[in-house]
Amino acid sequence: MIPYGRQDIDANDIEAVVAVLRSDFLTQGPCVPAFEERVARYCGVDHAVAVNSATSALHIAYRALGLGPGDRLWTSPVTFAATANAALYCGADVDFVDIDPVTCNMSVQALRAKLVSAAAQGTLPRIVAPVHLSGLSAEMDQIGSLSREFGFRVVEDASHAIGGSYRGRPVGTCDFSDITVFSFHPVKIITTGEGGMAMTRDPHLAEAMRLLRSHGITRDPALFEGPNEGPWFYQQLDLGYNYRLTDICAALGVSQMDRLDAFVAARAALADRYDALFAEHCLVLPGRRPDTRSAHHLYVARLPANLHQHHRAIFEGLRVAGVGVNLHYMPIYRHPFYRRLRADWPSLPAAEDYYRSAISLPMFATLTLAEQDFVAETLLALLERHRQGG
Ligand SMILES: *Cc1c(COP(=O)(O)O)cnc(C)c1O
């Protein structure tokens, strides 16, 4: 089976991890700050807080922005459940903004309309969390203007998007947001096994997230409430978690950063090639924008409306042929857990249309051209068969 995603670990990565195993520190050593520094420099942002997953990063980002019971967080329905789950961890309520049918990111028009009606009802969100689906940045400048107009904070879920750029600046630079979160799960652009990072320009948010990452405990005398009682002394200032990244993982992250641009370039070349292979056919190809460079985490082809009824059969046909396709993602409000939270979620038409049509094709830096040709030929043959009613 050709998987839809796969990590690429080379000899340097292995050496970097082995060096940590031979060293004094397996966790809380020098590699975590080195990894933070490396990603911060890449993004051109002052602060980076490494944690053990993007889910943890989202949780401490939302907490640092004060999200709690009685608050609302809005995100896209077409994302991994963690974007919304992390708000529920904070005791907040979640709601969804429909997607743009071209980019499949949160629709700015839908967001504006929902904000206007929420403002009238006094139900504005504390945080809006756009997701850079497939690696293509959401329309951050417009979301940033809306955040100033309506007074909400912005967390970018950039789990798919490290190495991408928006208006000539790297995703993660936080030009239009408070915090940007990356994931280093093995299917993502670079990996630490498990891992995530929260980027911010705001030193206070960075400080709050560092505390929350490690139990809410500090050893920094500058932060103590009351006197420093001695060299043993530390204080818990907030209710935090153990979300620390290990030095083993961080060493892998530093090493993977050496190849980030090469990984994204390889993915971009594959995306261009898929576009060319499908150009004369009926598929709806991933949206592009001239001011935005995708990190190409996913390549999602969508079926035209006349083939929606064959979505499942085409999907199964690909799997049977050995093409490991996936669907990123079913709208979150369709999950049983979310249905139990609220029975009457409005069905969002663009998200529903996406769910009826989307197929994530294999996309990873080491996908060979022969494998890619096989994927394309298999898909095109299935389209042909189903168009003829077979
Ligand atoms: C992978 C992913 C996450 C969660 O990342 P982990 O590092 O596995 O916790 C969150 N949001 C999106 C959009 C993702 O793709």
Side-chain angles (χ1 to χ4, degrees), residues 132-158:
H132 305 324
L133 192 71
S134 301
L136 185 78
S137 175
E139 308 222 30
M140 292 310 302
D141 62 337
Q142 295 177 56
I143 293 170
S145 329
L146 289 172
S147 81
R148 287 187 295 279
E149 188 179 339
F150 289 91
F152 58 82
R153 312 299 290 267
V154 180
V155 175
E156 297 173 63
D157 184 343

mmCIF file of all heavy atoms in Angstrom, residues 132-158:
data_model
loop_
_atom_site.group_PDB
_atom_site.id
_atom_site.type_symbol
_atom_site.label_atom_id
_atom_site.label_comp_id
_atom_site.label_asym_id
_atom_site.label_seq_id
_atom_site.Cartn_x
_atom_site.Cartn_y
_atom_site.Cartn_z
ATOM 1 N N HIS A 132 -4.829 26.007 8.755
ATOM 2 C CA HIS A 132 -4.235 26.118 7.407
ATOM 3 C C HIS A 132 -4.307 24.745 6.744
ATOM 4 O O HIS A 132 -3.329 23.995 6.696
ATOM 5 C CB HIS A 132 -2.804 26.628 7.502
ATOM 6 C CG HIS A 132 -2.668 27.925 8.253
ATOM 7 N ND1 HIS A 132 -3.613 28.924 8.193
ATOM 8 C CD2 HIS A 132 -1.708 28.387 9.077
ATOM 9 C CE1 HIS A 132 -3.220 29.942 8.947
ATOM 10 N NE2 HIS A 132 -2.070 29.636 9.497
ATOM 11 N N LEU A 133 -5.506 24.432 6.235
ATOM 12 C CA LEU A 133 -5.772 23.072 5.756
ATOM 13 C C LEU A 133 -4.846 22.697 4.602
ATOM 14 O O LEU A 133 -4.678 23.480 3.654
ATOM 15 C CB LEU A 133 -7.237 22.953 5.326
ATOM 16 C CG LEU A 133 -7.698 21.509 5.081
ATOM 17 C CD1 LEU A 133 -7.820 20.744 6.394
ATOM 18 C CD2 LEU A 133 -9.023 21.483 4.340
ATOM 19 N N SER A 134 -4.287 21.525 4.693
ATOM 20 C CA SER A 134 -3.382 20.969 3.680
ATOM 21 C C SER A 134 -2.056 21.722 3.587
ATOM 22 O O SER A 134 -1.217 21.382 2.765
ATOM 23 C CB SER A 134 -4.029 20.946 2.283
ATOM 24 O OG SER A 134 -5.204 20.180 2.319
ATOM 25 N N GLY A 135 -1.873 22.778 4.402
ATOM 26 C CA GLY A 135 -0.628 23.544 4.361
ATOM 27 C C GLY A 135 -0.777 24.919 3.750
ATOM 28 O O GLY A 135 0.197 25.681 3.708
ATOM 29 N N LEU A 136 -1.994 25.243 3.265
ATOM 30 C CA LEU A 136 -2.258 26.548 2.641
ATOM 31 C C LEU A 136 -2.799 27.508 3.703
ATOM 32 O O LEU A 136 -3.851 27.249 4.290
ATOM 33 C CB LEU A 136 -3.286 26.397 1.518
ATOM 34 C CG LEU A 136 -3.570 27.660 0.699
ATOM 35 C CD1 LEU A 136 -2.447 27.901 -0.312
ATOM 36 C CD2 LEU A 136 -4.906 27.544 -0.029
ATOM 37 N N SER A 137 -2.092 28.604 3.925
ATOM 38 C CA SER A 137 -2.515 29.542 4.978
ATOM 39 C C SER A 137 -3.932 30.052 4.720
ATOM 40 O O SER A 137 -4.323 30.332 3.591
ATOM 41 C CB SER A 137 -1.563 30.740 5.031
ATOM 42 O OG SER A 137 -2.049 31.692 5.973
ATOM 43 N N ALA A 138 -4.684 30.187 5.809
ATOM 44 C CA ALA A 138 -5.972 30.872 5.749
ATOM 45 C C ALA A 138 -5.719 32.352 5.450
ATOM 46 O O ALA A 138 -4.577 32.824 5.472
ATOM 47 C CB ALA A 138 -6.707 30.708 7.067
ATOM 48 N N GLU A 139 -6.788 33.096 5.203
ATOM 49 C CA GLU A 139 -6.667 34.520 4.817
ATOM 50 C C GLU A 139 -6.445 35.350 6.076
ATOM 51 O O GLU A 139 -7.344 36.004 6.597
ATOM 52 C CB GLU A 139 -7.932 34.954 4.079
ATOM 53 C CG GLU A 139 -8.249 34.010 2.949
ATOM 54 C CD GLU A 139 -8.683 34.728 1.687
ATOM 55 O OE1 GLU A 139 -8.245 35.866 1.461
ATOM 56 O OE2 GLU A 139 -9.465 34.129 0.947
ATOM 57 N N MET A 140 -5.192 35.323 6.539
ATOM 58 C CA MET A 140 -4.904 35.842 7.868
ATOM 59 C C MET A 140 -5.056 37.352 7.988
ATOM 60 O O MET A 140 -5.430 37.846 9.044
ATOM 61 C CB MET A 140 -3.502 35.406 8.309
ATOM 62 C CG MET A 140 -3.373 33.909 8.560
ATOM 63 S SD MET A 140 -4.680 33.248 9.627
ATOM 64 C CE MET A 140 -4.460 34.253 11.094
ATOM 65 N N ASP A 141 -4.756 38.101 6.918
ATOM 66 C CA ASP A 141 -4.878 39.560 7.084
ATOM 67 C C ASP A 141 -6.333 39.948 7.331
ATOM 68 O O ASP A 141 -6.625 40.792 8.174
ATOM 69 C CB ASP A 141 -4.287 40.314 5.879
ATOM 70 C CG ASP A 141 -4.998 40.003 4.579
ATOM 71 O OD1 ASP A 141 -5.630 38.926 4.487
ATOM 72 O OD2 ASP A 141 -4.926 40.822 3.647
ATOM 73 N N GLN A 142 -7.259 39.280 6.633
ATOM 74 C CA GLN A 142 -8.681 39.613 6.823
ATOM 75 C C GLN A 142 -9.183 39.124 8.175
ATOM 76 O O GLN A 142 -9.971 39.800 8.841
ATOM 77 C CB GLN A 142 -9.512 39.007 5.690
ATOM 78 C CG GLN A 142 -9.154 39.632 4.347
ATOM 79 C CD GLN A 142 -9.930 38.985 3.208
ATOM 80 O OE1 GLN A 142 -11.146 38.946 3.238
ATOM 81 N NE2 GLN A 142 -9.220 38.486 2.230
ATOM 82 N N ILE A 143 -8.709 37.951 8.592
ATOM 83 C CA ILE A 143 -9.107 37.449 9.916
ATOM 84 C C ILE A 143 -8.524 38.364 10.999
ATOM 85 O O ILE A 143 -9.189 38.684 11.988
ATOM 86 C CB ILE A 143 -8.666 35.977 10.085
ATOM 87 C CG1 ILE A 143 -9.460 35.087 9.109
ATOM 88 C CG2 ILE A 143 -8.853 35.504 11.531
ATOM 89 C CD1 ILE A 143 -8.968 33.650 9.006
ATOM 90 N N GLY A 144 -7.297 38.849 10.765
ATOM 91 C CA GLY A 144 -6.686 39.802 11.701
ATOM 92 C C GLY A 144 -7.495 41.094 11.806
ATOM 93 O O GLY A 144 -7.704 41.614 12.909
ATOM 94 N N SER A 145 -7.991 41.615 10.663
ATOM 95 C CA SER A 145 -8.804 42.851 10.748
ATOM 96 C C SER A 145 -10.091 42.591 11.504
ATOM 97 O O SER A 145 -10.528 43.431 12.292
ATOM 98 C CB SER A 145 -9.194 43.420 9.381
ATOM 99 O OG SER A 145 -8.249 43.167 8.429
ATOM 100 N N LEU A 146 -10.706 41.425 11.241
ATOM 101 C CA LEU A 146 -11.944 41.113 11.967
ATOM 102 C C LEU A 146 -11.672 40.989 13.462
ATOM 103 O O LEU A 146 -12.514 41.364 14.286
ATOM 104 C CB LEU A 146 -12.564 39.817 11.424
ATOM 105 C CG LEU A 146 -13.181 39.918 10.019
ATOM 106 C CD1 LEU A 146 -13.577 38.531 9.507
ATOM 107 C CD2 LEU A 146 -14.395 40.848 10.020
ATOM 108 N N SER A 147 -10.498 40.478 13.829
ATOM 109 C CA SER A 147 -10.196 40.317 15.262
ATOM 110 C C SER A 147 -10.118 41.685 15.938
ATOM 111 O O SER A 147 -10.559 41.843 17.083
ATOM 112 C CB SER A 147 -8.904 39.514 15.475
ATOM 113 O OG SER A 147 -7.764 40.334 15.325
ATOM 114 N N ARG A 148 -9.594 42.692 15.212
ATOM 115 C CA ARG A 148 -9.555 44.044 15.803
ATOM 116 C C ARG A 148 -10.951 44.648 15.853
ATOM 117 O O ARG A 148 -11.338 45.278 16.842
ATOM 118 C CB ARG A 148 -8.598 44.934 15.001
ATOM 119 C CG ARG A 148 -7.124 44.566 15.253
ATOM 120 C CD ARG A 148 -6.173 45.535 14.596
ATOM 121 N NE ARG A 148 -6.251 45.518 13.144
ATOM 122 C CZ ARG A 148 -5.640 44.607 12.378
ATOM 123 N NH1 ARG A 148 -4.908 43.658 12.932
ATOM 124 N NH2 ARG A 148 -5.772 44.645 11.074
ATOM 125 N N GLU A 149 -11.738 44.387 14.807
ATOM 126 C CA GLU A 149 -13.089 44.970 14.763
ATOM 127 C C GLU A 149 -13.997 44.369 15.845
ATOM 128 O O GLU A 149 -14.767 45.086 16.476
ATOM 129 C CB GLU A 149 -13.677 44.716 13.359
ATOM 130 C CG GLU A 149 -14.992 45.424 13.095
ATOM 131 C CD GLU A 149 -15.504 45.149 11.676
ATOM 132 O OE1 GLU A 149 -14.688 44.766 10.787
ATOM 133 O OE2 GLU A 149 -16.722 45.301 11.457
ATOM 134 N N PHE A 150 -13.886 43.040 16.040
ATOM 135 C CA PHE A 150 -14.830 42.377 16.948
ATOM 136 C C PHE A 150 -14.201 41.972 18.287
ATOM 137 O O PHE A 150 -14.871 41.426 19.152
ATOM 138 C CB PHE A 150 -15.446 41.152 16.269
ATOM 139 C CG PHE A 150 -16.404 41.516 15.165
ATOM 140 C CD1 PHE A 150 -15.971 41.655 13.853
ATOM 141 C CD2 PHE A 150 -17.751 41.737 15.436
ATOM 142 C CE1 PHE A 150 -16.837 42.004 12.838
ATOM 143 C CE2 PHE A 150 -18.638 42.077 14.426
ATOM 144 C CZ PHE A 150 -18.181 42.214 13.120
ATOM 145 N N GLY A 151 -12.889 42.193 18.437
ATOM 146 C CA GLY A 151 -12.266 41.987 19.743
ATOM 147 C C GLY A 151 -12.055 40.547 20.149
ATOM 148 O O GLY A 151 -12.239 40.211 21.324
ATOM 149 N N PHE A 152 -11.709 39.683 19.199
ATOM 150 C CA PHE A 152 -11.342 38.307 19.597
ATOM 151 C C PHE A 152 -9.855 38.085 19.384
ATOM 152 O O PHE A 152 -9.178 38.888 18.717
ATOM 153 C CB PHE A 152 -12.191 37.269 18.839
ATOM 154 C CG PHE A 152 -12.083 37.339 17.337
ATOM 155 C CD1 PHE A 152 -11.025 36.735 16.662
ATOM 156 C CD2 PHE A 152 -13.053 37.996 16.583
ATOM 157 C CE1 PHE A 152 -10.928 36.797 15.274
ATOM 158 C CE2 PHE A 152 -12.954 38.079 15.195
ATOM 159 C CZ PHE A 152 -11.889 37.472 14.540
ATOM 160 N N ARG A 153 -9.326 37.019 19.971
ATOM 161 C CA ARG A 153 -7.931 36.643 19.793
ATOM 162 C C ARG A 153 -7.841 35.560 18.720
ATOM 163 O O ARG A 153 -8.846 34.889 18.424
ATOM 164 C CB ARG A 153 -7.338 36.107 21.107
ATOM 165 C CG ARG A 153 -7.629 36.981 22.318
ATOM 166 C CD ARG A 153 -7.065 38.384 22.207
ATOM 167 N NE ARG A 153 -5.608 38.432 22.282
ATOM 168 C CZ ARG A 153 -4.902 38.620 23.395
ATOM 169 N NH1 ARG A 153 -5.509 38.743 24.563
ATOM 170 N NH2 ARG A 153 -3.580 38.687 23.354
ATOM 171 N N VAL A 154 -6.647 35.388 18.146
ATOM 172 C CA VAL A 154 -6.485 34.459 17.030
ATOM 173 C C VAL A 154 -5.364 33.466 17.320
ATOM 174 O O VAL A 154 -4.239 33.859 17.649
ATOM 175 C CB VAL A 154 -6.166 35.217 15.718
ATOM 176 C CG1 VAL A 154 -5.994 34.236 14.556
ATOM 177 C CG2 VAL A 154 -7.272 36.230 15.400
ATOM 178 N N VAL A 155 -5.683 32.179 17.224
ATOM 179 C CA VAL A 155 -4.678 31.113 17.283
ATOM 180 C C VAL A 155 -4.707 30.396 15.943
ATOM 181 O O VAL A 155 -5.755 29.886 15.525
ATOM 182 C CB VAL A 155 -4.965 30.105 18.419
ATOM 183 C CG1 VAL A 155 -3.977 28.937 18.371
ATOM 184 C CG2 VAL A 155 -4.898 30.794 19.781
ATOM 185 N N GLU A 156 -3.570 30.381 15.233
ATOM 186 C CA GLU A 156 -3.477 29.668 13.953
ATOM 187 C C GLU A 156 -3.130 28.214 14.237
ATOM 188 O O GLU A 156 -2.090 27.940 14.839
ATOM 189 C CB GLU A 156 -2.358 30.255 13.079
ATOM 190 C CG GLU A 156 -2.560 31.693 12.671
ATOM 191 C CD GLU A 156 -1.326 32.248 11.948
ATOM 192 O OE1 GLU A 156 -0.970 31.736 10.865
ATOM 193 O OE2 GLU A 156 -0.708 33.186 12.481
ATOM 194 N N ASP A 157 -3.979 27.283 13.807
ATOM 195 C CA ASP A 157 -3.582 25.871 13.829
ATOM 196 C C ASP A 157 -2.837 25.602 12.522
ATOM 197 O O ASP A 157 -3.439 25.352 11.477
ATOM 198 C CB ASP A 157 -4.792 24.950 13.984
ATOM 199 C CG ASP A 157 -4.370 23.474 14.116
ATOM 200 O OD1 ASP A 157 -3.207 23.156 13.764
ATOM 201 O OD2 ASP A 157 -5.202 22.652 14.539
ATOM 202 N N ALA A 158 -1.495 25.697 12.631
ATOM 203 C CA ALA A 158 -0.626 25.524 11.460
ATOM 204 C C ALA A 158 0.025 24.150 11.499
ATOM 205 O O ALA A 158 1.148 23.972 11.023
ATOM 206 C CB ALA A 158 0.413 26.634 11.426
#
